[in-house]
């Protein structure tokens, strides 16, 4: 399941000892860390066009875009929009 894959990628980059609760939903999953709730969105391969899809949905700062391998253009677009990101190569930028 894609939401499991996305959540696993996010959990893999969190510091050891962080307590996180994953909740699966119809449109993806959320990860709760303390009183913070992160919305996890799988964006596929991680090209700029993939990042633009999530950006068109007007995400907020609790959104984490997850991909197989983010391109430099996708990373910059997500940074510019203040959207967190993780990819399966280990690249990550999440602000809580």
């Amino acid at each position: 399941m894609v939401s499991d894959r996305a959540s696993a990628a996010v959990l893999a980059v969190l510091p050891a000892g962080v307590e996180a609760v994953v909740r699966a939903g119809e449109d993806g999953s959320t990860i709760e860390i303390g009183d913070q709730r992160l919305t996890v969105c799988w964006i596929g391969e991680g090209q700029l066009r993939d990042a633009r899809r999530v950006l068109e949905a007007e995400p907020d700062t609790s959104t984490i875009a997850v991909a197989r391998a983010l391109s430099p253009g996708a990373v910059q677009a997500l940074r510019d929009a203040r959207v967190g990101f993780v990819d399966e190569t280990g690249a990550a930028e999440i602000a809580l």
Side-chain angles (χ1 to χ4, degrees):
M1 177 178 258
V2 170
S3 63
D4 292 341
R5 184 176 176 183
S7 295
V10 174
L11 294 174
V13 300
L14 295 177
V18 170
E19 292 186 27
V21 176
V22 177
R23 301 199 188 282
E26 291 180 20
D27 296 330
S29 60
T30 59
I31 297 178
E32 296 174 6
I33 302 170
D35 63 351
Q36 299 289 320
R37 181 176 291 186
L38 305 175
T39 303
V40 179
C41 299
W42 178 259
I43 65 168
E45 291 300 309
Q47 298 300 313
L48 179 55
R49 68 181 170 273
D50 301 322
R52 285 184 176 147
R53 261 195 341 265
V54 74
L55 296 176
E56 288 170 357
E58 299 182 14
D60 60 28
T61 56
S62 70
T63 301
I64 307 297
V66 183
R68 190 184 64 72
L70 289 161
S71 72
V75 167
Q76 193 59 54
L78 294 166
R79 278 186 180 143
D80 290 349
R82 299 178 46 100
V83 171
F85 59 84
V86 174
D87 73 20
E88 293 180 321
T89 71
E93 188 171 296
I94 300 172
L96 298 176

